[in-house]
Amino acid sequence: EAQVTQNPRYLITVTGKKLTVTCSQNMNHEYMSWYRQDPGLGLRQIYYSMNVEVTDKGDVPEGYKVSRKEKRNFPLILESPSPNQTSLYFCASGRNTEAFFGQGTRLTVV
Amino acid sequence: TQLLEQSPQFLSIQEGENLTVYCNSSSVFSSLQWYRQEPGEGPVLLVTVVTGGEVKKLKRLTFQFGDARKDSSLHITAAQPGDTGLYLCAGSLNTGTASKLTFGTGTRLQVTL
């Protein structure tokens, strides 16, 4: 089954404790992206990658890092999480102009 | 600055009614997409429109792309409870890639029996 898989689905952590959210896709898409979704602000792009070893900032990259060492994986790294990074995160992969989303990771930073 | 404005933000209707959701921008998009998102899930692509004036139908859903490629509408005929969800429009500013998809803030639709 074609899918984008994120882990974990839910995460509660403390301020400053480094964390990684994994994302994997099995559709051989070159494009992958991370979004955060917040009430009243909609979906905002954090980082995206057009291919292996090629990443670029989206609209809200501060406080996040990404890497694209393999085509199928695109982890999101929060080196020192803060409460304002509490949000619902989505990974997506795409072809042409269409994006396919994972099920989301709800992150709470206390 | 929100590039894509959706209206209304919330809509609560009864089964069988018709409705229209609007997505407006001052920017010209190379393509525009509509997604539906259900609670606890990621957005799911419904349709992509690429040509100004284009109309696409998906069962009871009709999507239209404005002539100037700055706006779009989604019309649902005879809404059903299964249509309940968050509807998102997204515009692509780059030709041929999904790299700079910009999302609207969404329209939350509730259809009751």
Side-chain angles (χ1 to χ4, degrees):
Chain A
E1 180 188 355
Q3 59 186 6
V4 178
T5 303
Q6 294 178 229
N7 279 297
R9 292 289 310 274
Y10 303 92
L11 181 58
I12 300 174
T13 190
V14 296
T15 299
K17 185 177 181 181
K18 181 179 178 180
L19 66 93
T20 299
V21 184
T22 64
C23 174
S24 180
Q25 53 99 359
N26 63 2
M27 294 171 278
N28 202 35
H29 289 157
E30 292 184 342
Y31 165 79
M32 296 186 75
S33 181
W34 277 102
Y35 296 85
R36 61 178 289 175
Q37 187 174 35
D38 302 288
L41 296 175
L43 275 162
R44 294 178 294 168
Q45 191 177 51
I46 302 171
Y47 270 94
Y48 65 95
S49 170
M50 296 304 296
N51 212 328
V52 175
E53 302 293 359
V54 179
T55 63
D56 209 344
K57 296 178 180 178
D59 299 315
V60 288
E62 294 77 20
Y64 305 95
K65 285 175 59 177
V66 292
S67 69
R68 188 87 183 275
K69 293 183 171 60
E70 308 167 274
K71 197 172 189 178
R72 63 182 291 124
N73 296 322
F74 191 45
L76 179 69
I77 303 157
L78 284 71
E79 294 270 4
S80 182
S82 62
N84 65 12
Q85 292 179 297
T86 292
S87 187
L88 180 58
Y89 290 86
F90 288 101
C91 178
S93 70
R95 62 165 188 265
N96 299 325
T97 59
E98 300 174 347
F100 299 86
F101 286 83
Q103 289 190 299
T105 296
R106 187 167 291 282
L107 172 66
T108 302
V109 184
V110 297
Chain B
T1 302
Q2 185 64 43
L3 291 179
L4 279 166
E5 299 287 342
Q6 284 187 242
S7 62
Q9 285 187 302
F10 302 96
L11 194 53
S12 182
I13 62 172
Q14 290 191 316
E15 183 180 19
E17 292 184 29
N18 302 330
L19 66 112
T20 302
V21 176
Y22 299 94
C23 175
N24 295 297
S25 174
S26 57
S27 300
V28 176
F29 294 101
S30 57
S31 67
L32 195 138
Q33 299 160 22
W34 285 91
Y35 293 80
R36 183 170 71 204
Q37 184 179 15
E38 298 187 26
E41 303 292 333
V44 175
L45 179 67
L46 296 175
V47 78
T48 301
V49 285
V50 295
T51 305
E54 182 177 3
V55 177
K56 279 192 175 179
K57 292 192 175 184
L58 184 67
K59 297 183 180 178
R60 294 175 293 100
L61 279 60
T62 301
F63 305 85
Q64 185 162 7
F65 201 11
D67 291 339
R69 306 205 318 275
K70 293 183 178 182
D71 54 86
S72 180
S73 64
L74 158 60
H75 182 80
I76 301 179
T77 303
Q80 298 177 0
D83 296 327
T84 294
L86 178 67
Y87 288 82
L88 297 162
C89 65
S92 175
L93 290 170
N94 290 342
T95 300
T97 73
S99 63
K100 292 301 292 182
L101 271 181
T102 298
F103 282 84
T105 51
T107 294
R108 193 166 296 280
L109 171 65
Q110 182 169 19
V111 183
T112 56
L113 293 170

